[in-house]
Amino acid sequence: MNLKFRSRWWSFGFRSTVMLYFIMLIVIPIIGIYTQSFSLGWTPFYESISDPLAWKAVLLTVKLAIIAAIINILIGTMIGWTLNRYKFAGRRLLNSLVDLPFALPTAVGGLMILLLLGPNSVVGSLAEKLGFEIVFHEPAIVVAMVFVTFPFVIRAVQPLLEELDKSEEEAAYTMGATKAKTFIRIIFPSLLPGVLSGGMLAFSRALAEFGAVVLVAGNIPGKTLIASVYIYGEIESDNSQGAAAVSILLLTFSFLILWIVSRVQARRSAK
């Protein structure tokens, strides 16, 4: 009985510690943001989110995050397929480098993009000769968002490719189906849950990106100022209520996306 009591006590203590950690680290800060955003009432909250600069910053962020997510879906699916289906020199190294954006500080990523695509770089100089600029314009923001969200789709697709029954592919080939038709009819439907969940996570992460973007965006109000940089500017201007109001728009977007991802994963597990 004594051992049983101790086991239950340790189990209860462990669960309580985990829940306390979760509440203090996630729940309380989220409640604090919502409380701060409505601290002065509904009218100041509405004025904060309807401010033209704030609205343009949010719309620009959503637009560029969607573009970055689509790019990641296309490239990430191809890279995941290549890493899973083909053996070549450097495959393990490439597979390990996929997670580099998770390990690398985002500010360092922004500096890398600035050095690679800036006006003094080979690529930047060539772009200027062709009549357009990359850094301090929307393309640089998209590149930064793609960089920080690069692993999501790849890591979501790879487990599905490993679980895929190759006998269905072989049967399709035996019946005369082309590789393209087999991929569209047999393979892609199995990959779709991973592609969608990875793409939505990439979109959600791109919404909140700050470190990589702030170095390459130019931060021009109404043109290249994204929501996270706008929020930072409001904090610097001592307008914490306005910053919190815009923050909960992004937070609500993220909650909605995470809910959709959980639903997609639940359906996948139920099959």
Side-chain angles (χ1 to χ4, degrees):
M1 289 292 293
N2 195 21
L3 287 174
K4 198 179 225 183
F5 175 77
R6 286 183 181 179
S7 176
R8 288 181 179 176
W9 173 255
W10 279 109
S11 178
F12 173 77
F14 178 75
R15 291 197 303 270
S16 300
T17 303
V18 170
M19 289 302 299
L20 181 63
Y21 181 81
F22 177 79
I23 290 171
M24 293 184 65
L25 190 66
I26 298 177
V27 176
I28 292 178
I30 290 175
I31 293 174
I33 290 176
Y34 277 91
T35 302
Q36 182 65 34
S37 64
F38 291 101
S39 60
L40 301 179
W42 171 258
T43 301
F45 169 80
Y46 177 76
E47 291 175 351
S48 296
I49 63 173
S50 61
D51 180 88
L53 289 181
W55 196 237
K56 286 181 179 179
V58 171
L59 289 179
L60 178 66
T61 306
V62 172
K63 182 185 77 171
L64 298 183
I66 290 173
I67 294 172
I70 292 172
I71 293 172
N72 264 322
I73 285 173
L74 297 174
I75 296 178
T77 303
M78 289 189 290
I79 292 176
W81 175 270
T82 302
L83 291 174
N84 181 267
R85 291 301 179 95
Y86 299 100
K87 297 187 182 295
F88 51 89
R91 175 172 167 269
R92 289 186 178 181
L93 176 62
L94 180 60
N95 190 50
S96 62
L97 288 176
V98 167
D99 294 320
L100 182 62
F102 285 159
L104 197 67
T106 54
V108 176
L111 181 60
M112 290 167 55
I113 296 169
L114 185 62
L115 295 175
L116 180 64
L117 304 177
N120 296 323
S121 67
V122 176
V123 178
S125 300
L126 180 61
E128 284 187 357
K129 290 179 181 178
L130 295 174
F132 65 94
E133 296 179 359
I134 301 175
V135 172
F136 309 134
H137 292 78
E138 291 184 8
I141 301 174
V142 174
V143 171
M145 288 180 172
V146 169
F147 175 79
V148 298
T149 59
F150 181 68
F152 284 109
V153 175
I154 299 173
R155 294 312 187 205
V157 165
Q158 281 182 317
L160 298 180
L161 285 169
E162 292 173 359
E163 296 172 1
L164 199 62
D165 187 3
K166 292 185 179 180
S167 62
E168 295 182 9
E169 295 179 55
E170 294 171 358
Y173 294 142
T174 302
M175 296 175 68
T178 62
K179 288 187 176 182
K181 193 172 184 179
T182 301
F183 180 83
I184 295 172
R185 293 285 187 89
I186 305 297
I187 300 172
F188 188 72
S190 300
L191 300 182
L192 189 58
V195 171
L196 291 178
S197 61
M200 286 185 287
L201 288 174
F203 172 73
S204 180
R205 176 69 182 82
L207 282 179
E209 179 49 32
F210 175 81
V213 171
V214 70
L215 295 178
V216 300
N219 308 319
I220 303 171
K223 293 184 177 180
T224 61
L225 182 67
I226 66 167
S228 58
V229 181
Y230 175 85
I231 292 168
Y232 177 76
E234 291 298 292
I235 293 293
E236 290 289 293
S237 302
D238 198 27
N239 183 17
S240 58
Q241 189 275 335
V246 178
S247 296
I248 68 167
L249 289 180
L250 303 182
L251 189 60
T252 304
F253 266 129
S254 297
F255 277 140
L256 179 62
I257 292 164
L258 289 175
W259 179 79
I260 294 173
V261 169
S262 66
R263 295 287 296 176
V264 170
Q265 292 176 342
R267 287 187 178 184
R268 174 190 158 197
S269 301
K271 289 181 180 180

